[in-house]
Amino acid sequence: MKLVKIPDQKNVAVVEGEEISTAAYLQELNRALYMVTSQYGVDWNDPQNLAPLPALQEQVLDQIITRVVLRQLASKEGVSIDSKDVETETVALQGRVQQSGQFADWATFLKENSLTDESVRSLIADNLLSDAMNKRHAATTSAEQVHASHILVATQETGQEVLDKLAQGAAFADLAAQYSTDTGSKDQGGDLGWFPRGVMVSAFEQAAFSLEPGKVSQLVQTDFGYHIILVQEKAVRELEPALYQQVQQQFFQAWIEEQQAKMKIERLYTFASPK
């Protein structure tokens, strides 16, 4: 029994006329399987571990398609990577591999990761290209943000009890310390600090951004439980570096997906469950 079903055809996809060969796909798939096996110690003799394999195969193909899309978009914008930068990164990677002590030598690293010198340089070039395009298509560094506090409880009944006490004049911070199950914020009166859109779960975000400063929400249910939200302030502010990185990742991914939707992409194979 083979772990994965291998396409018996020359190509697995075509992106705007550029073919993605089955051979190139298999090299990426083998590398992904090696990483999963080495990182998580997966026992492929366990039939239960075979069920996620088709999804992994699709994910690998998705990643290859995205890289091809990015190369084509970069070419249209006249963005390219200097071969000297690729070589510098390659030498740095070779040094890290040697220092890790995990592999006998560079050749062993390549073999165990289903790589070649050429494919390593190609992956590094793609990463550098992604960084360059990321900078060209950057989100603004400021955004509408909310400074909010919340009280998180497990049940609707407890949430209503908290709302009743707030209506009777109890302090929000005191009730957060007493009731909230969010250990990261309860001792700060439930204070979550400032955050932009795209950081919190959808229902929480919608409630927080719809409230005016000084107002308290009704119960907002999410997968975490029931929230009572107090909006303290609203403003357009510069994003903190960590938040900006998160927002930029989402912004760039959305841009890639938008461009990809306009392109002719043919997937020539759908991966079925192994038998």
Side-chain angles (χ1 to χ4, degrees), residues 26-52:
L26 288 178
Q27 185 179 68
E28 292 289 320
L29 178 62
N30 286 335
R31 192 165 63 88
L33 287 170
Y34 170 81
M35 292 178 64
V36 169
T37 304
S38 61
Q39 289 182 12
Y40 302 105
V42 177
D43 178 8
W44 296 114
N45 293 314
D46 184 346
Q48 291 185 347
N49 291 332
L50 300 181

Side-chain angles (χ1 to χ4, degrees), residues 117-270:
D117 282 313
E118 182 182 0
S119 62
V120 166
R121 284 171 170 78
S122 178
L123 288 169
I124 288 174
D126 284 345
N127 288 338
L128 292 174
L129 198 63
S130 179
D131 290 343
M133 292 294 284
N134 209 299
K135 291 177 182 177
R136 284 176 65 89
H137 298 276
T140 58
T141 58
S142 61
E144 180 188 12
Q145 298 187 56
V146 166
H147 178 196
S149 300
H150 81 143
I151 300 170
L152 175 64
V153 295
T155 66
Q156 192 171 3
E157 291 73 21
T158 304
Q160 188 58 54
E161 182 179 335
V162 173
L163 286 173
D164 291 342
K165 290 190 175 183
L166 284 170
Q168 295 166 10
F172 192 96
D174 293 341
L175 292 176
Q178 180 181 353
Y179 284 94
S180 186
T181 59
D182 180 0
T183 57
S185 69
K186 65 178 297 180
D187 293 336
Q188 288 75 46
D191 195 345
L192 297 170
W194 289 90
F195 55 88
R197 297 182 188 274
V199 174
M200 302 296 185
V201 295
S202 179
F204 189 100
E205 177 184 287
Q206 290 178 15
F209 277 88
S210 67
L211 289 168
E212 292 301 317
K215 299 298 184 180
V216 176
S217 73
Q218 293 299 307
L219 296 181
V220 177
Q221 186 177 8
T222 70
D223 290 340
F224 299 102
Y226 294 87
H227 307 259
I228 299 165
I229 305 167
L230 166 64
V231 169
Q232 300 181 37
E233 306 170 81
K234 276 185 176 180
V236 175
R237 290 166 46 94
E238 287 289 310
L239 293 162
E240 295 292 333
L243 276 179
Y244 178 74
Q245 185 176 13
Q246 181 177 345
V247 168
Q248 171 57 19
Q249 287 175 346
Q250 295 171 347
F251 180 85
F252 186 64
Q253 181 62 33
W255 178 78
I256 288 285
E257 291 174 357
E258 180 184 352
Q259 301 306 310
Q260 191 165 314
K262 302 174 185 177
M263 301 170 74
K264 184 179 180 181
I265 299 174
E266 301 172 82
R267 303 175 72 96
L268 305 179
Y269 194 89
T270 299

Side-chain angles (χ1 to χ4, degrees), residues 68-100:
V68 173
V69 165
L70 190 60
R71 286 187 215 126
Q72 293 184 358
L73 292 173
S75 179
K76 288 181 181 179
E77 295 186 16
V79 177
S80 60
I81 300 302
D82 193 320
S83 59
K84 292 181 180 178
D85 293 332
V86 175
E87 190 59 31
T88 297
E89 290 296 321
T90 302
V91 171
L93 175 60
Q94 290 172 337
R96 291 194 295 272
V97 168
Q98 183 177 358
Q99 291 173 5
S100 72

